[in-house]
Amino acid sequence: MTAPCSWLWLLSQIAAVVSHVCRLNVFFLFVDMARGQQKIQSQQKNAKKQAEQKKKQGHDQKAAAKAALIYTCTVCRTQMPDPKTFKQHFESKHPKTPLPPELADVQA
Ligand SMILES: [Zn+2]
């Protein structure tokens, strides 16, 4: 009765190895899933970051455009980058013309 016993033992060993491998496979499957999830999360994070950067850049561009918003002299159409320059220009070039109301508060 040794032969069936050793067969059983061999079978149980094989079963043990198979179940071990299966568990390993399941483990790696979970690792893969976790990695995939992480990848997706990092991709989402990156996309969000890029969107924010784009938004920020767009905002910066808008701000820059606003900052570069040229003040156009109402009399001679000369363009100036800031109200201070505009006022100085207005006072020196067109002293006879009354200051536009938006320049009244500007400290030259
Ligand atoms: Zn002018």
Side-chain angles (χ1 to χ4, degrees):
M1 288 298 266
T2 42
C5 273
S6 70
W7 271 111
L8 274 177
W9 177 82
L10 199 67
L11 271 176
S12 76
Q13 287 299 301
I14 290 168
V17 168
V18 165
S19 76
H20 184 68
V21 168
C22 278
R23 251 182 256 152
L24 266 184
N25 275 344
V26 168
F27 173 72
F28 281 123
L29 197 74
F30 272 116
V31 169
D32 273 354
M33 270 167 64
R35 275 197 197 137
Q37 200 72 26
Q38 250 177 0
K39 208 173 172 185
I40 289 169
Q41 275 178 350
S42 78
Q43 275 174 350
Q44 281 175 340
K45 227 178 187 175
N46 271 351
K48 207 174 165 189
K49 220 175 178 179
Q50 275 179 346
E52 264 170 25
Q53 218 163 26
K54 233 178 194 176
K55 216 170 163 187
K56 208 176 165 189
Q57 264 180 358
H59 198 74
D60 281 353
Q61 276 171 354
K62 249 184 218 169
K66 208 173 177 185
L69 189 84
I70 312 264
Y71 289 81
T72 307
C73 176
T74 45
V75 181
C76 66
R77 296 274 150 208
T78 300
Q79 292 181 324
M80 280 141 295
D82 58 90
K84 215 167 154 180
T85 315
F86 185 13
K87 190 172 187 178
Q88 280 166 354
H89 160 91
F90 212 95
E91 282 171 341
S92 65
K93 303 277 181 185
H94 323 292
K96 283 173 193 167
T97 315
L99 269 180
E102 68 261 35
L103 286 184
D105 295 333
V106 176
Q107 305 259 319

